[in-house]
């Protein structure tokens, strides 16, 4: 028989026993008083009832302890568990009234409590392990809520705060961590975008800068995680990795190049400028030959300027500072413009620059300034490696979703062994055995620019028979969707490698 | 056509450079004044009546940025119509570009802009250019750029 059933049986037996005791007691009292003592029947009855009452009270007093003891044991067990006191199974000597049953119940209570404790301990253990990992991580971790207020920072993260951590908690990110991003495409705008469009998302930001109150500067790479309905209320989880030394070194290198370029540009400005003035004022005085002499100097000074631009571009490419403004353009216009500015150069060097263009083309997606540099570099190349009197042809044709442009010369050509290396940085092929100046930068820059446009650049050549350099660029239509998400620049600003001018500036106000 | 010749102010500390632009612009009929320092240039600018101000961004005593901010902040009515073009040989970084695009009407690399090209640019702004050599792109959003005249 199970303990519970035994308990119920014993309890009912006990109650029956008490009942019987009272009944018999009363009967005995009546027997003694009515029969043996021959008292008045009414008197006997009264005495029996009184005796019965005494028995009830006695049983009640002592009996309740017996009945209550099981529940006492249970309530003690519960209080042990609450107060984390020692777990001792009671009643120690099972037996009597449902002792086994009560022991079972008490045991269950203790077991449940232990399981609960273990679970809690395990959670605690795991949490402190994770906390340990976070705290010893070599990167900063911050958690921000939906209002942009700081909820958490790990130890590393606290180092970057100018405000005491306890005070910083609950403060807005703009106050505690005024990060500067490389462009308008920053954390705030990304979070706003994510709020409207995403449930979860992640983004990587490069070169994020932080200037401290003591004016020291940190540069980080950042990874941000956005979560719309995080149960803990964390909307943004930001992780910062220290990259200061590395990026500072990059920057000082870039600064050097920018400074050198600036220094070179000073005299170049004056040389080009006065040659221009001279050409303008002497055009009616000089004869053709004399004008030609001046043009040689003019063209060369332009090429000098182009070389400085190439150097700057290389430095920008290396530092990944190169930023293209890709827009829809009419390719025929671009080519015609290039032709206009390069035909003099070709002429001065005794080359003929020709065009072979279709009547119509779909529009193209280009960063005009840098594409002009590509064409300029390729034409320069063709001039260098072709013969006196030679023809250089710029041809354009449509090719599926691309527009392909070739620049062909009939010069000395390129040997097979060299072709594979042409677009590498600083590469100077055997062609340079001719007395020709060049820095080996031009073709490398062309490749980077064309690649950045999502295009392709190539070369075909037979030694002794000239070379054809070509590149293809995507049509505007094929990339229009992707472009619209890119940087918006619709202020009517005309850009070139020479700078920019506002379109219709009279409408500025 | 106005009777009075349009006035151009060049604020540039390299005399050779300011002279070469001034010479070509004067030949084309503009009245040109040159200033070699920031404070002097600013004072002249605030007198007003300038059609275009060419401003070097790297002056010894006051930066071009400060000057342009002060010119724009000037309450002079004459000044608000003036186009200010930054001329420099520095490449601009993103931060400078963003602030310059709000304040200036142009940003030109001197080493790339010959005097005759400068004249063309100013004439284009006037709408008086004779041979418009459109060597720069037009960038209103997703429209095809206009052909040169």
């Amino acid at each position: 028989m199970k303990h519970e059933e035994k308990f119920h049986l014993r309890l009912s037996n006990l109650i029956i026993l008490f009942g019987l005791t009272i009944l018999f007691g009363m009967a005995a009292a009546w027997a003694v008083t009515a029969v043996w003592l021959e008292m008045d029947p009414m008197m006997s009855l009264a005495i029996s009832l009184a005796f019965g009452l005494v028995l009830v009270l006695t049983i009640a007093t002592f009996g309740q302890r017996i009945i209550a003891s099981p529940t006492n044991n249970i309530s003690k067990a519960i209080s042990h568990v609450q107060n984390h006191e020692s777990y001792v199974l009671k009643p120690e000597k099972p037996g009597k009234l449902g002792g086994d049953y009560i022991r079972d119940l008490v045991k269950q209570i203790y077991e449940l409590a232990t399981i609960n404790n273990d679970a809690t301990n395990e959670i605690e253990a795991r949490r402190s392990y994770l906390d340990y990992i976070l705290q010893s991580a070599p990167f900063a971790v911050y958690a921000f809520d939906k209002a942009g207020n700081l909820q958490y920072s790990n130890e590393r993260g606290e180092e970057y705060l100018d405000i005491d951590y306890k005070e910083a908690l609950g403060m807005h990110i703009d106050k505690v961590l005024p990060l500067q991003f490389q462009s308008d495409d920053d954390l705030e705008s990304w979070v706003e975008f994510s709020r409207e469009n995403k449930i979860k998302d992640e983004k990587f930001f490069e070169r994020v800068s932080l200037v401290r109150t003591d004016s020291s500067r940190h540069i980080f790479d950042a990874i941000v995680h956005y979560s719309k309905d995080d149960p803990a209320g964390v909307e943004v989880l930001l992780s910062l990795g220290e990259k200061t030394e590395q990026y500072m070194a990059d920057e000082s290198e870039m600064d050097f190049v920018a400074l050198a370029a600036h220094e070179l540009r000073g005299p170049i400005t004056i040389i080009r400028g006065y040659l221009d003035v001279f050409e303008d004022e002497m055009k009616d005085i000089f004869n053709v030959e004399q004008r030609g002499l001046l043009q040689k100097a003019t063209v060369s000074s332009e090429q000098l300027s182009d070389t400085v631009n190439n150097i700057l571009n290389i430095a920008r490419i290396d530092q990944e500072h190169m930023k293209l403004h890709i827009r829809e353009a009419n390719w025929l216009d671009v080519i015609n413009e290039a032709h206009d500015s390069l035909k003099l150069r070709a002429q001065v060097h005794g080359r003929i620059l020709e065009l072979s263009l279709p009547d119509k083309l779909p529009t193209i997606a280009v960063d005009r300034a840098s594409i002009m540099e590509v064409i300029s570099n390729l034409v320069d190349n063709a001039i260098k490696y072709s013969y006196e009197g030679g023809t250089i042809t710029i041809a354009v044709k449509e090719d599926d979703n691309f527009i392909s442009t070739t620049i062909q010369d009939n010069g000395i050509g390129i040997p097979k062994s060299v072709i594979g290396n042409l677009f590498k940085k600083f590469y100077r092929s055997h062609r340079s055995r001719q007395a020709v100046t060049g820095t080996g930068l031009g073709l490398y820059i062309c490749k980077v620019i064309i690649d950045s446009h999502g295009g392709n650049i190539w070369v075909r050549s037979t030694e002794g028979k000239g070379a054809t350099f070509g590149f293809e660029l995507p049509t505007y239509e094929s990339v229009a969707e992707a472009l619209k998400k890119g940087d918006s620049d619709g202020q009517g600003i005309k850009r070139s490698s020479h700078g920019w001018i506002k379109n219709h500036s009279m409408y500025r106000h | 056509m106005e009777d009075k010749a349009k006035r151009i102010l060049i604020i540039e500390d390299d005399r050779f450079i300011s002279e070469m632009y001034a010479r070509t612009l004067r030949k084309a009929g503009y009245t040109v004044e040159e200033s070699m320092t920031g404070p002097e240039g600013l004072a002249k600018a605030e007198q007003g009546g300038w059609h275009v101000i060419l401003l070097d961004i790297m002056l010894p005593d006051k930066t071009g940025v400060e000057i342009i901010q002060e010119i724009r902040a000037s309450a002079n009515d004459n000044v608000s119509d003036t186009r200010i073009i930054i001329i420099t040989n520095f490449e601009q970084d993103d931060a400078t570009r963003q602030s310059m695009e709000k304040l200036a009407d142009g940003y030109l690399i001197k080493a790339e802009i010959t005097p005759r090209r400068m004249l063309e640019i100013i004439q284009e702004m006037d709408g008086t250019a004779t041979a418009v050599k459109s060597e720069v792109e037009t960038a209103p959003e997703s429209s095809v750029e206009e052909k040169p005249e």
Side-chain angles (χ1 to χ4, degrees):
Chain A
M1 213 192 246
K2 282 204 261 181
H3 293 161
E4 192 178 340
E5 286 166 3
K6 266 194 201 163
F7 173 67
H8 290 144
L9 191 63
R10 285 206 186 128
L11 195 59
S12 49
N13 287 346
L14 193 65
I15 291 169
I16 292 169
L17 180 66
F18 288 155
L20 287 173
T21 307
I22 293 165
L23 279 173
F24 280 126
M26 282 173 73
W30 184 82
V32 163
T33 51
V35 173
W36 192 38
L37 293 176
E38 288 176 6
M39 290 172 92
D40 185 47
M42 290 306 285
M43 198 60 153
S44 290
L45 188 61
I47 291 170
S48 309
L49 285 174
F51 188 58
L53 188 63
V54 166
L55 280 176
V56 164
L57 289 171
T58 313
I59 288 170
T61 310
F62 294 107
Q64 62 90 6
R65 272 185 213 164
I66 299 171
I67 294 176
S69 95
T71 48
N72 281 346
N73 284 329
I74 289 175
S75 101
K76 270 186 200 154
I78 289 176
S79 106
H80 285 168
V81 158
Q82 275 183 339
N83 299 329
H84 301 287
E85 286 165 9
S86 58
Y87 296 173
V88 178
L89 277 184
K90 294 256 174 99
E92 279 124 349
K93 290 177 200 163
K96 296 232 175 132
L97 180 64
D100 285 330
Y101 175 53
I102 301 306
R103 251 173 103 82
D104 281 351
L105 289 178
V106 165
K107 193 170 166 203
Q108 278 179 45
I109 290 173
Y110 287 148
E111 275 170 9
L112 282 171
T114 308
I115 290 170
N116 193 35
N117 268 348
D118 284 349
T120 310
N121 286 343
E122 201 185 314
I123 290 174
E124 279 297 322
R126 214 175 266 165
R127 187 183 293 165
S128 57
Y129 180 59
L130 286 174
D131 207 42
Y132 169 72
I133 294 175
L134 262 183
Q135 294 299 16
S136 32
F139 46 85
V141 178
Y142 304 98
F144 297 95
D145 64 17
K146 288 187 180 177
N149 297 328
L150 182 68
Q151 276 191 325
Y152 170 83
S153 161
N154 72 344
E155 222 168 278
R156 195 59 191 260
E158 284 179 48
E159 283 173 30
Y160 302 131
L161 301 176
D162 281 327
I163 304 172
D164 187 51
Y165 183 46
K166 290 207 180 77
E167 273 182 62
L169 282 174
M171 283 179 78
H172 194 262
I173 183 175
D174 289 342
K175 287 211 180 74
V176 299
L177 208 60
L179 298 169
Q180 287 161 5
F181 292 79
Q182 281 203 288
S183 70
D184 284 340
D185 190 14
D186 61 7
L187 180 61
E188 200 184 314
S189 53
W190 179 74
V191 170
E192 265 177 49
F193 178 78
S194 302
R195 279 183 187 144
E196 283 173 41
N197 298 290
K198 307 264 180 173
I199 303 293
K200 263 190 189 332
D201 200 12
E202 233 177 55
K203 191 172 166 92
F204 175 72
F205 291 96
E206 215 179 30
R207 291 178 199 256
V208 179
S209 172
L210 177 68
V211 180
R212 309 290 298 274
T213 43
D214 65 0
S215 297
S216 67
R217 190 167 155 229
H218 293 271
I219 312 179
F220 305 106
D221 281 342
I223 298 179
V224 200
H225 186 89
Y226 169 82
S227 179
K228 199 180 189 71
D229 292 311
D230 180 73
V234 173
E235 189 191 46
V236 170
L237 200 62
L238 168 70
S239 183
L240 298 177
E242 177 84 57
K243 287 273 211 129
T244 308
E245 255 182 62
Q246 180 187 330
Y247 284 144
M248 291 279 213
D250 285 353
E251 278 181 14
S252 57
E253 202 182 297
M254 184 66 203
D255 287 342
F256 163 71
V257 172
L259 190 67
H262 177 257
E263 295 288 297
L264 289 168
R265 277 179 168 164
I268 289 172
T269 304
I270 293 170
I271 292 170
R272 288 189 72 177
Y274 280 96
L275 283 173
D276 187 62
V277 170
F278 205 46
E279 206 176 67
D280 185 38
E281 294 189 15
M282 300 310 259
K283 62 179 183 273
D284 297 327
I285 300 168
F286 275 176
N287 62 36
V288 175
E289 193 196 350
Q290 285 165 329
R291 265 182 265 147
L293 295 177
L294 196 49
Q295 276 171 359
K296 287 183 164 82
T298 301
V299 159
S300 215
S301 70
E302 275 174 26
Q303 289 174 304
L304 178 57
S305 199
D306 285 352
T307 303
V308 169
N309 289 338
N310 274 350
I311 292 170
L312 267 174
N313 276 333
I314 292 283
R316 265 197 233 122
I317 290 166
D318 281 351
Q319 311 310 340
E320 290 162 32
H321 274 342
M322 186 153 222
K323 204 178 179 204
L324 297 181
H325 298 271
I326 297 187
R327 300 276 174 279
E328 188 179 12
N330 182 320
W331 188 236
L332 295 175
D333 280 352
V334 175
I335 293 290
N336 277 312
E337 195 184 306
H339 180 253
D340 280 344
S341 64
L342 292 169
K343 66 181 179 205
L344 179 67
R345 195 182 297 194
Q347 190 196 313
V348 159
H349 287 287
R351 312 289 191 264
I352 302 162
L353 190 60
E354 280 187 353
L355 291 177
S356 165
L357 307 176
D359 293 320
K360 261 185 78 172
L361 276 179
T363 54
I364 200 170
V366 285
D367 172 76
R368 202 157 172 143
S370 50
I371 278 301
M372 292 295 266
E373 290 189 35
V374 169
I375 300 173
S376 185
N377 268 307
L378 293 177
V379 169
D380 265 345
N381 213 53
I383 290 174
K384 275 177 216 158
Y385 296 113
S386 57
Y387 303 110
E388 183 81 35
T391 304
I392 299 165
T393 312
I394 305 176
V396 175
K397 69 177 198 278
E398 192 180 341
D399 203 358
D400 269 341
N401 283 330
F402 286 88
I403 291 177
S404 102
T405 306
T406 52
I407 290 147
Q408 181 180 15
D409 70 77
N410 298 309
I412 63 177
I414 309 165
K416 263 200 162 65
S417 58
V418 154
I419 281 195
N421 291 321
L422 273 181
F423 294 107
K424 289 188 185 156
K425 202 165 151 185
F426 303 141
Y427 188 78
R428 301 260 330 258
S429 74
H430 96 299
R431 301 221 290 183
S432 56
R433 268 190 235 135
Q434 308 258 311
V436 167
T437 54
T439 55
L441 298 176
L443 289 178
Y444 170 67
I445 290 171
C446 291
K447 178 160 166 54
V448 173
I449 291 174
I450 298 294
D451 284 351
S452 305
H453 276 79
N456 275 317
I457 192 168
W458 70 86
V459 59
R460 273 193 318 266
S461 175
T462 309
E463 192 163 6
K465 292 204 177 131
T468 302
F469 281 86
F471 59 91
E472 56 180 18
L473 293 169
T475 58
Y476 178 70
E477 208 185 302
S478 65
V479 295
E481 270 309 305
L483 273 188
K484 285 198 177 99
K485 292 177 195 159
D487 63 344
S488 60
D489 208 30
Q491 294 171 50
I493 288 179
K494 294 181 177 184
R495 293 185 195 282
S496 76
S497 59
H498 312 170
W500 54 266
I501 282 277
K502 276 188 185 161
N503 210 354
H504 310 302
S505 21
M506 62 186 93
Y507 299 127
R508 187 170 52 82
H509 300 291
Chain B
M1 283 310 249
E2 290 170 304
D3 290 321
K4 222 173 72 179
K6 288 184 175 167
R7 297 170 72 222
I8 297 179
L9 173 63
I10 304 179
I11 307 175
E12 160 68 64
D13 66 328
D14 186 324
R15 201 158 49 85
F16 286 1
I17 293 178
S18 65
E19 262 182 31
M20 81 190 191
Y21 288 127
R23 189 182 173 101
T24 301
L25 293 169
R26 282 182 189 123
K27 253 191 86 197
Y30 291 95
T31 301
V32 184
E33 274 185 53
E34 296 157 61
S35 185
M36 282 184 62
T37 69
E40 188 194 295
L42 184 58
K44 281 209 176 131
E46 283 172 344
Q47 281 167 16
W50 301 104
H51 174 55
V52 173
I53 298 177
L54 300 179
L55 172 61
D56 184 1
I57 210 169
M58 265 303 161
L59 293 166
D61 34 20
K62 231 179 158 92
T63 69
V65 178
E66 282 168 357
I67 293 180
I68 195 175
Q69 281 170 338
E70 284 181 48
I71 294 175
R72 291 294 184 214
S74 167
N76 192 332
D77 277 338
N78 284 340
V79 162
S80 59
D81 279 342
T82 304
R83 293 162 212 185
I84 302 178
I85 299 176
I86 306 278
I87 54 173
T88 181
N89 277 326
F90 274 112
E91 290 292 320
Q92 53 178 153
D93 54 57
D94 276 336
T96 320
R97 178 173 64 84
Q98 282 169 33
S99 52
M100 279 300 116
E101 279 178 15
K102 291 192 188 97
L103 293 169
D105 293 286
Y107 186 105
L108 299 174
I109 305 288
K110 285 182 277 195
E112 301 287 337
I113 307 291
T114 57
R116 279 188 286 182
R117 182 61 195 133
M118 180 68 85
L119 175 63
E120 260 174 36
I121 289 172
I122 291 175
Q123 284 174 333
E124 272 170 39
M125 280 170 120
D126 287 346
T128 63
T130 44
V132 174
K133 193 174 169 193
S134 168
E135 104 185 57
V136 292
E137 79 178 74
T138 311
E141 282 162 309
S142 68
S143 73
V144 180
E145 54 104 23
E146 57 202 2
K147 284 191 184 272
E149 284 172 327

